[in-house]
Amino acid sequence: MRIAFLIFDDLTVLDAIGPFEVLCRLPKAEVMMVGETRGIKRADPSSLGIAADYAISEVSSADILVVPGGRGQQQVQGRPPMLEWVRQIDATTQWTTSVCTGSLILGAAGLLKGRRATTHWGRLAKLGDFGAEPISERIVEDGKIITAAGVSAGIDMALHLARRVAGDTVAQAIQVGIEYDPQPPFDGCARRAPAPVLEMLAARYTVPARA
Amino acid sequence: MRIAFLIFDDLTVLDAIGPFEVLCRLPKAEVMMVGETRGIKRADPSSLGIAADYAISEVSSADILVVPGGRGQQQVQGRPPMLEWVRQIDATTQWTTSVCTGSLILGAAGLLKGRRATTHWGRLAKLGDFGAEPISERIVEDGKIITAAGVSAGIDMALHLARRVAGDTVAQAIQVGIEYDPQPPFDGCARRAPAPVLEMLAARYTVPARA
């Protein structure tokens, strides 16, 4: 089970590491962190560096592709070799997935035309630019493409995928192994968030109408 | 707000990255990834490398210390310079925290004597070796020391800490920003897990009596 993660500067690192922590525990998982070139990619913020051990020129297929998002996805959209690589790998995968605004990279690569898809709540409308139908759900599966909502949703997406790939017992063992029994202190839904919370987020995101 | 993460080979990377993604969003956060030496540390599994941009000799204080766990924590317990650094930094912090078996590093550094603390469900009894009182809860706060349960619990711990440090509105804005509105596919509690799930985990962990 060869699992390729596309990484790049200014990614939101939890987008990638949530799924990494789940999918690396699949039986016979072989994970590859793939950058346009090899070397350290700096997350957003840059105080975290992660290693791309492979360049896109060195990886020509995968069973699972995971595309994270973050501010850097806009630069990736402007890099034809990276978009071509995403298309090339997608042609070989069993599952092509994204987390957060990684779906905008899938969209820019032309993979979401006519498909239902999701992304971070603050970017949902953008999916329409790529011919996708924006869906406000935590995980959207359409054919072999699975898109997840913002950042932490990659953990749920990866467990969903683990279940698809390896069945319920393996997937639950992974969930129990990473003790994913969440107890968040607040309601994390943007549409239900109090006005002062949304005001704080408005500088960075398009805030939704309140539910 | 200077936030130091201790990183080392064979760490469980989500232990560190969950809190990173939360705490880096605190106002004026300055994050430092600190290794015994500078350079790439390889997670467990080694297909993920993260950069230690600082050596322990270069960091002498922090407002928040985060100590992750994973298989590599056993090696850290055998490295007196790293344990001495943990003690030295703890003497300067407002908050000293751990995720998963990172609490065993705090214990080995002598910081948990007589304190209530937690860790991954599969290692809970080990806390007694360091004079701590093992508590089966997701987050345990005792004085300025906050310990979290396994792996993914670091996200909840960091949001709890964000609330302590910056108040409810900021902490909820961080939670909504990372869209942490979890929808896990299974019950992630080890004590309630079905027998086949626990059997699958028994090779790696001490499985608990079922609830």
Side-chain angles (χ1 to χ4, degrees):
Chain A
M1 181 65 61
R2 298 174 76 240
I3 306 166
F5 286 75
L6 179 63
I7 60 171
F8 44 84
D9 286 325
D10 283 323
L11 87 165
T12 297
V13 67
L14 185 57
D15 290 11
I17 298 301
F20 173 86
E21 196 63 65
V22 171
L23 299 177
C24 76
R25 293 164 189 248
L26 282 173
K28 299 184 183 173
E30 181 192 336
V31 177
M32 298 170 288
M33 306 304 284
V34 187
E36 185 171 13
T37 56
R38 288 194 194 188
I40 300 294
K41 307 302 170 188
R42 287 282 155 187
D44 173 21
S46 63
S47 44
L48 193 283
I50 71 174
D53 292 321
Y54 298 86
I56 56 175
S57 60
E58 298 173 306
V59 176
S60 58
S61 67
D63 298 302
I64 295 172
L65 172 64
V66 182
V67 178
R71 290 183 204 269
Q73 59 82 17
Q74 292 174 299
Q75 279 65 52
V76 175
Q77 286 190 43
R79 299 293 306 159
M82 296 183 84
L83 299 179
E84 178 54 34
W85 182 82
V86 167
R87 278 190 292 274
Q88 178 193 342
I89 298 301
D90 174 67
T92 72
T93 60
Q94 295 172 37
W95 299 97
T96 294
T97 74
S98 66
V99 180
C100 196
T101 51
S103 56
L104 304 182
I105 296 174
L106 298 186
L111 300 180
L112 296 183
K113 284 173 193 150
R115 290 189 188 264
R116 302 168 76 250
T118 196
T119 188
H120 190 283
W121 57 259
R123 294 289 179 272
L124 202 57
K126 284 268 179 197
L127 283 167
D129 297 352
F130 305 110
E133 179 190 350
I135 305 290
S136 179
E137 288 174 8
R138 192 143 178 93
I139 303 166
V140 174
E141 183 179 326
D142 186 333
K144 74 171 188 180
I145 297 190
I146 309 178
T147 52
V151 195
S152 64
I155 301 172
D156 296 328
M157 183 279 286
L159 287 166
H160 171 88
L161 179 56
R163 188 178 202 172
R164 287 287 204 181
V165 168
D168 281 10
T169 302
V170 167
Q172 187 170 1
I174 293 172
Q175 185 180 330
V176 173
I178 65 168
E179 205 160 351
Y180 187 47
D181 184 17
Q183 295 175 25
F186 304 99
D187 182 344
C189 173
R191 275 169 302 141
R192 293 189 298 265
V197 167
L198 290 180
E199 282 159 22
M200 200 165 277
L201 290 162
R204 181 160 176 174
Y205 302 110
T206 305
V207 303
R210 291 181 65 195
Chain B
M1 181 65 62
R2 300 173 75 239
I3 306 167
F5 286 75
L6 179 63
I7 61 171
F8 44 84
D9 286 327
D10 283 322
L11 89 165
T12 297
V13 65
L14 184 57
D15 290 11
I17 298 302
F20 173 86
E21 196 62 66
V22 171
L23 300 177
C24 76
R25 294 164 189 248
L26 283 172
K28 301 186 182 172
E30 182 194 335
V31 177
M32 300 171 285
M33 306 304 284
V34 187
E36 185 171 14
T37 56
R38 286 194 195 189
I40 301 294
K41 307 303 170 188
R42 288 281 156 187
D44 172 21
S46 62
S47 44
L48 193 284
I50 72 174
D53 292 321
Y54 298 86
I56 55 175
S57 60
E58 298 173 307
V59 177
S60 57
S61 67
D63 298 302
I64 295 173
L65 171 64
V66 182
V67 179
R71 290 183 203 269
Q73 59 81 18
Q74 291 173 299
Q75 278 66 53
V76 175
Q77 286 191 42
R79 299 291 306 159
M82 297 183 84
L83 299 180
E84 177 55 34
W85 182 82
V86 168
R87 278 190 293 273
Q88 177 193 345
I89 299 301
D90 173 68
T92 72
T93 61
Q94 293 171 36
W95 299 97
T96 293
T97 74
S98 66
V99 180
C100 197
T101 51
S103 56
L104 304 183
I105 296 174
L106 297 187
L111 300 179
L112 296 183
K113 283 173 195 151
R115 289 190 189 264
R116 301 167 77 250
T118 196
T119 188
H120 190 283
W121 55 261
R123 293 288 179 274
L124 201 57
K126 284 270 180 196
L127 282 167
D129 297 352
F130 304 110
E133 180 189 350
I135 305 289
S136 179
E137 289 175 7
R138 194 145 178 91
I139 302 165
V140 174
E141 183 180 325
D142 186 333
K144 74 171 189 179
I145 297 190
I146 308 178
T147 52
V151 195
S152 63
I155 301 171
D156 296 328
M157 183 279 287
L159 287 166
H160 171 87
L161 179 56
R163 187 178 203 172
R164 286 287 204 182
V165 167
D168 281 11
T169 303
V170 168
Q172 186 170 3
I174 293 173
Q175 185 180 331
V176 173
I178 65 167
E179 206 161 350
Y180 187 47
D181 184 17
Q183 295 175 23
F186 304 99
D187 182 342
C189 172
R191 275 170 301 140
R192 293 189 298 265
V197 166
L198 290 179
E199 282 160 21
M200 199 166 278
L201 290 162
R204 183 160 175 174
Y205 302 109
T206 305
V207 302
R210 291 180 67 194

